[in-house]
Amino acid sequence: MSKQDYYETLEVSKGASTEEIKRSYRRLAMKYHPDHNQGNEEAEIKFKAINEAYEILKDEQKRAAYDRYGHAAFEQGNNGNPFDFGFAGGLGDIFSEVFSDFMGGGRQSTKASGSIDGENLRYDLEISLEEAYSGMEKEISFPSEKICDKCNGFGTKDGKKPPICSTCQGSGRIHRQHGFMIMETVCPECGGYGYKAKDICSECNGKGKKSFTKELKIKIPAGVEDGTRIRLTGEGIPGINGGVNGDLYVFISIKEHKLYNREGKDLFVQIPVSMVCAALGGVVEIPGIDGHKIEVKVDAGTQTGTKLKIKGEGMPKIRSIDKGDLWVEFKVETPVNLNAKQKELLEEFRSVSEDDSCQPAEKTFFEKIKDLFAA
Ligand SMILES: [Zn+2]
Ligand SMILES: [Zn+2]
């Protein structure tokens, strides 16, 4: 199974309570239980995934480690790592633990076949708003692992499948008695693998995999939004011996733009205009997000806060030919640092504007407060 986020797998939020997690697990486990989905491989994979997720999230300590380190906290081959909980503490069978009140057993051993699934990987990619507008292909490289070619991924010296583990007879599980209870746990000898090599491969130290830098060309669709997660199936850590390859998740973030703010498919820009331009009208030129020049008409008498919609100059909608709009908001700028000549002209302007009819809002305001003074 490929490793999805455990919270997503259980369809709960990160802040979910233990009770909520348990409830959601019960519901999903019922839905995907093999007894109700005979021969449905997808349901089986899903069932295994929710069991694995629940095994971690129901345990406070493991959940905390997962919150902090993600799947890396429980990776194979992490023995000696303080966050490898090893499943050796007598976990028992969660499924029957939760369902024992109204259902039989039915747990599936996930590893007795000897296969190990690969981990998912995450890659964070920051792009510009222009790149999000046009879409693009991007070469990325990241640390990953590949199957060891010397041992074919078996981790054995002879490169062949290792013999069956003598402790668990290949089941990957052992039974332990705790008082009156018999608990089933993961075999500590083979780690649940079911097979145990006598001589390990010197090239990969028995891991079956080697680190390398993976290079990949990825396609970012036009119109992609900040926070989008692109899943590249099978591009994560490879699985071993028939195990499923992990996926690569590319998390897209979009850099802040100098000019534009984005909301969905629409773009927003604030344009400062001079007092004179706002009064007499004019044209302001701005660069569109696609680089072409946009002429924005300023009507005579434009006020601060006046908005204008320019159709089709926003972002593209993903997988569509539709485009959003560009919203312009004007901000009238009061002139500062006037020279003598400018002051003189403005004084003259004032002297011919005594009746205030060119400032209707100001006129109304002073009429209102005149009444208040009189009261
Ligand atoms: Zn074993
Ligand atoms: Zn090897």
Side-chain angles (χ1 to χ4, degrees):
M1 89 214 78
S2 45
K3 281 225 172 54
Q4 200 191 4
D5 181 81
Y6 284 151
Y7 292 98
E8 279 176 21
T9 302
L10 289 179
E11 299 181 14
V12 292
S13 68
K14 277 218 186 313
S17 70
T18 316
E19 200 47 46
E20 279 172 64
I21 291 172
K22 188 169 176 175
R23 253 202 317 273
S24 193
Y25 166 71
R26 270 187 185 231
R27 180 176 58 78
L28 292 167
M30 286 286 276
K31 187 170 162 194
Y32 294 106
H33 193 277
D35 289 354
H36 308 151
N37 297 277
Q38 291 287 342
N40 182 344
E41 207 175 305
E42 226 174 77
E44 197 190 331
I45 291 168
K46 186 94 187 163
F47 182 69
K48 284 179 185 170
I50 57 177
N51 274 292
E52 183 184 321
Y54 184 63
E55 198 164 39
I56 301 302
L57 296 189
K58 70 167 188 151
D59 181 303
E60 231 174 71
Q61 208 184 359
K62 284 184 191 165
R63 183 177 174 184
Y66 176 72
D67 286 346
R68 197 152 168 212
Y69 298 97
H71 291 297
F74 312 102
E75 254 170 10
Q76 292 289 326
N78 262 3
N79 293 330
N81 181 317
F83 302 103
D84 175 27
F85 291 89
F87 302 109
L91 266 179
D93 180 342
I94 351 157
F95 189 75
S96 58
E97 187 182 298
V98 175
F99 285 90
S100 54
D101 44 343
F102 60 97
M103 253 187 159
R107 191 198 51 74
Q108 311 256 309
S109 175
T110 53
K111 281 170 183 164
S113 66
S115 65
I116 297 177
D117 297 333
E119 300 293 316
N120 290 338
L121 292 175
R122 172 184 177 140
Y123 186 92
D124 292 312
L125 179 64
E126 193 183 53
I127 62 171
S128 67
L129 191 63
E130 282 86 352
E131 288 172 322
Y133 175 86
S134 57
M136 60 167 180
E137 277 199 348
K138 181 119 186 151
E139 294 249 19
I140 60 168
S141 65
F142 52 95
S144 184
E145 287 177 2
K146 61 178 174 188
I147 299 288
C148 173
D149 40 21
K150 204 177 165 202
C151 63
N152 308 311
F154 291 121
T156 51
K157 197 175 174 185
D158 60 5
K160 289 185 185 137
K161 194 166 177 167
I164 279 175
C165 169
S166 55
T167 306
C168 63
Q169 307 303 328
S171 72
R173 303 229 151 206
I174 56 160
H175 295 91
R176 272 185 188 158
Q177 185 127 17
H178 290 262
F180 295 109
M181 297 234 296
I182 291 175
M183 305 283 274
E184 192 189 58
T185 67
V186 169
C187 171
E189 185 61 28
C190 63
Y193 186 50
Y195 298 84
K196 175 85 180 168
K198 285 194 177 65
D199 296 303
I200 60 167
C201 166
S202 56
E203 184 79 13
C204 63
N205 268 325
K207 263 190 83 185
K209 286 184 267 195
K210 288 194 291 187
S211 302
F212 86 121
T213 301
K214 184 162 177 160
E215 281 168 13
L216 210 60
K217 200 183 246 178
I218 58 170
K219 238 186 155 146
I220 312 292
V224 71
E225 296 212 27
D226 188 55
T228 298
R229 197 177 73 165
I230 298 173
R231 175 182 176 179
L232 291 119
T233 309
E235 296 292 358
I237 304 286
I240 281 181
N241 191 23
V244 178
N245 291 349
D247 299 330
L248 172 70
Y249 287 94
V250 179
F251 285 68
I252 309 279
S253 60
I254 298 174
K255 272 179 252 179
E256 213 168 282
H257 194 270
K258 266 191 213 160
L259 201 60
Y260 294 120
N261 285 316
R262 177 191 193 177
E263 258 172 53
K265 57 186 170 50
D266 290 339
L267 292 174
F268 295 82
V269 59
Q270 244 192 12
I271 303 182
V273 288
S274 73
M275 179 188 77
V276 176
C277 173
L280 302 177
V283 170
V284 181
E285 277 179 359
I286 55 166
I289 190 67
D290 58 354
H292 90 273
K293 213 166 22 180
I294 300 174
E295 289 190 345
V296 182
K297 189 167 179 278
V298 185
D299 286 337
T302 288
Q303 305 290 338
T304 286
T306 298
K307 290 189 180 85
L308 196 70
K309 180 168 91 173
I310 306 175
K311 255 192 105 51
E313 296 288 357
M315 298 294 284
K317 239 171 111 178
I318 230 161
R319 283 184 284 279
S320 158
I321 50 161
D322 283 1
K323 279 198 177 124
D325 303 319
L326 170 63
W327 289 87
V328 168
E329 184 182 342
F330 294 108
K331 212 176 151 187
V332 180
E333 188 176 27
T334 306
V336 292
N337 305 324
L338 301 175
N339 63 31
K341 179 71 182 169
Q342 289 165 325
K343 270 186 201 161
E344 188 192 318
L345 286 170
L346 281 177
E347 285 296 353
E348 195 185 333
F349 176 78
R350 175 144 68 186
S351 71
V352 297
S353 315
E354 284 297 274
D355 72 339
D356 284 348
S357 63
C358 66
Q359 309 273 154
E362 186 190 19
K363 193 176 173 188
T364 319
F365 178 77
F366 283 110
E367 262 160 21
K368 263 189 218 159
I369 63 171
K370 213 188 317 171
D371 293 347
L372 291 175
F373 279 134

